[in-house]
Amino acid sequence: MQPYPEDRIADAVASGKLTSDSAARVRTWLTRDSLSRYRDRISQLIQEENWTTLESLFWTSIPFGTGGRRGPMGELGPATINDRTIAESADGMARYLRSTGRTEGGAAVIACDSRHRSPEFARLTACTLAAHGLQVFLFQNCRSTPELSFAVRQLRCDIGVMISASHNPPGDNGFKAYWSNGAQVIPPHDHGIIREVERCDEIPSTNFKDAVDRGQIVMLVDDIDRQYIDQVVKLSQSTSRQIHAVFTPLHGVGESSVYAVIRRAGFEYVTIFEGHRTPDGAFPNVPNHLPNPENLEVFDPVMAWIRQTGHPAQMILASDPDADRLGVMIRNASGSFTPLSGNQVGALLTDFLLRKRKQAGRFSSEDYVVQTLVTSPLIRATAEFHGARAFWQLLVGFKYIAQTIEEQGADHFVFGAEESIGFLAGDYCRDKDAAVAALLILELAAELSCAGRTLTDQLDELYTKCGYHCESQKSISCEGPTGKARIDALMQALRQTPPSHLGKLCLTDVCDYGTGQQTAIPAGTTASMIPGPRGDMLIFRTKATDPVRAQIAVRPSGTEPKIKFYLFCQTD
């Protein structure tokens, strides 16, 4: 007798209630012995003809995107983050590590943020990796993603894992995979890991308490925190500290990294916002429970508190739940607050760091900054104005900035920036860090304040030197089983029939980073091949000689069910 009603699955596919791909995954989970613990629940959903739930649990297998594996948490199924998908991710990492020549021994470090089930998933990962014979270091409390990256390097581990979904909604979680250099995995490692995940069957595990007792799982406490904070504070560029600001961790782990660095560095007039201070995966006091500092609504409770209390804050800083990204608001002349974009903060800090190098006599023409293709050209222009190098032909994902640092060497690395408020300076880790960004932007603001100037004044000065740049972004959400098909269809349409105008702008060519071709519009002829990386992204451009030059980049998000449009304008 079959362990499940095959006729009902077939009927659901025939009637369009279940896709054929989902049905194939359902059958796998019902027939594979290693997944037998889920059989009764899946059979129950089939008996109830709950096809909507089954489709949401089985419509895909979560891939490795720009930020690892990330998605909605669920009770089972390959399309959600659950105990099985977390364990198979850890199992795939361990098996791939063994296939690279590390046939025995080795070490791993694991951290998690404040999201629901994050500590549970971190322990599950630790038990899986320990069962593969790795020495495992596990943070006893929730910590930031950049501290995890630092720990991989400091403890000389082979791999690292961060359980987090960054700024996603509270129902999401994820698995970020790190290699021995402290950076998120890139090809070929990401492809190798996912191949092992796809082959995953029986997953070994071990008892957590027993592994701790025998020393195979070591709990990390205060020492690694102090070492991390010390390394970030060493990157201080100024002694100016006279700045009033408010910091919010948005119910994430930022107090352990961002605020700890701020306080250690001596910023006595930076206050933490109590309403968002408690780590809580529901993000209860964040508007719409969406803890993304790019969404300006997250600042509303802080601004309301400043108005009510009369706090003299000149700035508001916000980190996302795993504290790798930093949002910045500044008080303007009218007394209200204005946001600085990730592009603007990136340009300001590039200029600040290069000026400080020159003042200290440490500048070299070999010094360089790194940014992605969808980050403001102003950062590149600022580096070139100072005589430094700039690397910018990079796909989206800070792991590619880390790769460039590895390739070029860290001695002359000055700064890395992504438009999505991700920044890094120094050699202590290989991922973006809200803590070092907060330290530097506070120092710059304090130094300017002492001279009677503001960050806006400094930005205007950059525009006069390097040209005026303006950027914006638009995202369209396409969720669920049909979402990816909609995104794919839109990308295909833009490739096949590229638009020739955007309003009054005349688009003259499109660069397709999937094929590596630059195509003339509207002729449709190949103008040249594009040097650089390959990925699913299109960049439309106006004529290079136009007084106002514009470009529009389009790409599917690697971490969320969205298609993103990045808009750039610049003029001399």
Side-chain angles (χ1 to χ4, degrees), residues 142-144 147 228-229 247-263 272-274 276-279 319-323 435:
C142 298
R143 287 295 182 262
S144 71
E147 185 169 351
Y228 160 76
I229 292 166
F247 165 68
T248 168
L250 300 180
H251 292 299
V253 303
E255 182 170 3
S256 69
S257 59
V258 182
Y259 198 58
V261 165
I262 290 171
R263 299 300 292 180
I272 191 167
F273 179 57
E274 293 292 339
H276 293 160
R277 188 172 193 171
T278 304
S319 60
D320 61 346
D322 64 328

Side-chain angles (χ1 to χ4, degrees), residues 144-459:
S144 71
T145 289
E147 185 169 351
L148 181 278
S149 173
F150 168 78
V152 172
R153 296 170 62 82
Q154 186 72 9
L155 299 173
R156 298 185 179 181
C157 291
D158 298 275
I159 54 176
V161 175
M162 181 71 195
I163 303 297
S164 170
S166 189
H167 57 277
N168 281 36
D172 288 7
N173 216 323
F175 182 101
K176 293 183 179 180
Y178 289 78
W179 208 242
S180 56
N181 62 351
Q184 289 191 49
V185 294
I186 57 173
H189 302 315
D190 54 350
H191 300 312
I193 292 169
I194 202 65
R195 280 196 301 270
E196 293 295 339
V197 170
E198 290 168 350
R199 289 201 287 260
C200 182
D201 192 9
E202 293 288 346
I203 300 176
S205 188
T206 189
N207 180 272
F208 180 78
K209 184 179 182 303
D210 291 346
V212 171
D213 289 344
R214 64 175 178 265
Q216 193 171 7
I217 296 177
V218 175
M219 306 305 294
L220 295 176
V221 284
D222 297 339
D223 284 351
I224 198 75
D225 292 341
R226 285 193 292 269
Q227 294 168 26
Y228 160 76
I229 292 166
D230 287 346
Q231 289 300 311
V232 179
V233 173
K234 282 181 181 178
L235 294 168
S236 170
Q237 302 292 313
S238 170
T239 58
S240 296
R241 295 293 183 266
Q242 295 295 316
I243 191 82
H244 288 84
V246 178
F247 165 68
T248 168
L250 300 180
H251 292 299
V253 303
E255 182 170 3
S256 69
S257 59
V258 182
Y259 198 58
V261 165
I262 290 171
R263 299 300 292 180
R264 176 76 67 82
F267 285 96
E268 298 180 10
Y269 306 114
V270 179
T271 304
I272 191 167
F273 179 57
E274 293 292 339
H276 293 160
R277 188 172 193 171
T278 304
D280 188 332
F283 314 115
N285 298 321
V286 178
N288 301 313
H289 312 293
L290 295 175
N292 185 352
E294 289 182 287
N295 296 333
L296 301 184
E297 293 86 353
V298 305
F299 292 94
D300 288 347
V302 188
M303 290 188 290
W305 177 80
I306 289 172
R307 287 193 298 268
Q308 291 165 6
T309 62
H311 192 285
Q314 297 159 267
M315 302 174 66
I316 307 172
L317 306 177
S319 60
D320 61 346
D322 64 328
D324 61 352
R325 303 190 311 144
L326 186 78
V328 179
M329 297 274 279
I330 56 174
R331 195 187 288 269
N332 56 35
S334 68
S336 58
F337 284 89
T338 301
L340 288 180
S341 71
N343 287 313
Q344 291 170 329
V345 172
L348 285 167
L349 293 184
T350 297
D351 176 62
F352 180 55
L353 288 165
L354 287 170
R355 283 192 291 109
K356 288 298 181 181
R357 284 198 169 218
K358 288 182 173 180
Q359 290 170 12
R362 294 185 294 110
F363 177 78
S364 163
S365 60
E366 292 298 303
D367 290 348
Y368 67 93
V369 300
V370 195
Q371 65 174 91
T372 65
L373 279 160
V374 298
T375 303
S376 175
L378 178 58
I379 294 174
R380 182 168 82 249
T382 301
E384 291 170 350
F385 171 80
H386 282 287
R389 298 181 295 161
F391 296 92
W392 55 277
Q393 289 273 11
L394 278 69
L395 295 175
V396 177
F398 215 87
K399 57 190 178 183
Y400 298 113
I401 293 177
Q403 180 185 26
T404 303
I405 298 171
E406 294 296 311
E407 291 171 350
Q408 299 297 321
D411 289 348
H412 292 284
F413 169 65
V414 177
F415 193 58
E418 281 187 318
E419 49 74 37
S420 54
I421 58 176
F423 315 102
L424 178 66
D427 189 30
Y428 65 99
C429 79
R430 288 292 185 272
D431 211 341
K432 52 191 177 289
D433 190 356
V436 73
L439 172 69
L440 296 174
I441 199 68
L442 284 169
E443 290 189 336
L444 173 57
E447 203 168 83
L448 291 169
S449 180
C450 289
R453 302 178 68 241
T454 67
L455 289 169
T456 304
D457 296 331
Q458 188 66 20
L459 194 58

Side-chain angles (χ1 to χ4, degrees), residues 41-50 53-54 57 75:
R41 176 58 177 152
I42 297 172
S43 297
Q44 179 187 359
L45 291 170
I46 294 171
Q47 293 294 339
E48 295 171 351
E49 298 189 352
N50 195 340
T53 297
L54 283 165
L57 297 175
E75 57 181 326

